[in-house]
Amino acid sequence: MPLTRLIYVSTLSKSCDSVALKDILHKSREHNITSKITGLLSHNEKYFMQCLEGSREEINRTYNYIVNDPRHSKVTIVYFEEIHSRQFGDWSMGDVPQSHLTSLLNLQFSGSDEFKPYDLTGQSAYLMLLELKQHLPSE
Ligand code: FAD
């Protein structure tokens, strides 16, 4: 089964607080280890941007769970490709804290110094996540 990478962006629901975020990360890591999925989840108080890497079958299955999760809405795929190797293999689901989404980084990849993931091209979203991973410890 081909290896794939998918990046989507979404909007946090009102009910998505820090407790919900902890649950999302806990469940993601649990399921992703079994499914051999790796990736990063970045977020601020408004938006999520997540990268998932793994077999096409597992990525599709997991994405279908994610897209139906009421803790977010307007789930939009911005990037999908078949890949030769993983870039986020060190994380079953790395958590990129809001503090890492600096004005400088946002300006580097978008027309704004705010984190506005719906405005990113797929390539910019991917490059931004690659930049963010440099500052994350392995799990
Ligand atoms: P329940 O809702 O209790 O479902 C019952 C059964 O369904 C489970 O016991 C299990 O057998 C099966 N099941 C449900 N989800 C999965 C799954 N993903 N894989 C295998 N079996 C499953 N979830 C992830 O797994 N990986 C992610 O990377 C991920 N990222 C998320 C990012 C965001 C922004 C949000 C909002 C959610 C994310 N989730 C992710 C959570 C996902 O949307 C579901 O909430 C989660 O998969 C439900 O798991 P559960 O064990 O509570 O299943």
Side-chain angles (χ1 to χ4, degrees), residues 47-61:
Y47 305 115
F48 286 115
M49 179 164 79
Q50 186 177 26
C51 177
L52 299 162
E53 292 176 336
S55 74
R56 186 163 62 202
E57 189 179 13
E58 293 294 352
I59 293 294
N60 272 289
R61 203 169 58 83

Side-chain angles (χ1 to χ4, degrees), residues 8 10 24 27-28 30-32 35 37 41 48 50 52 61-62 65-66 69 71-72 93:
Y8 74 83
S10 66
I24 289 169
K27 277 282 154 60
S28 299
E30 206 173 75
H31 287 307
N32 293 356
S35 313
I37 286 180
L41 178 66
F48 286 115
Q50 186 177 26
L52 299 162
R61 203 169 58 83
T62 299
Y65 283 114
I66 293 173
D69 194 314
R71 292 173 289 190
H72 63 169
M93 195 40 61

Side-chain angles (χ1 to χ4, degrees), residues 63-112:
Y63 181 72
N64 278 313
Y65 283 114
I66 293 173
V67 84
N68 290 309
D69 194 314
R71 292 173 289 190
H72 63 169
S73 61
K74 298 182 193 141
V75 185
T76 306
I77 293 174
V78 296
Y79 181 102
F80 179 84
E81 72 168 349
E82 291 183 348
I83 55 175
H84 302 296
S85 60
R86 297 175 193 249
Q87 283 291 347
F88 303 99
D90 285 351
W91 300 274
S92 58
M93 195 40 61
D95 177 24
V96 179
Q98 192 168 339
S99 58
H100 287 208
L101 297 164
T102 59
S103 309
L104 207 61
L105 187 76
N106 288 315
L107 264 186
Q108 188 179 347
F109 294 103
S110 73
S112 166

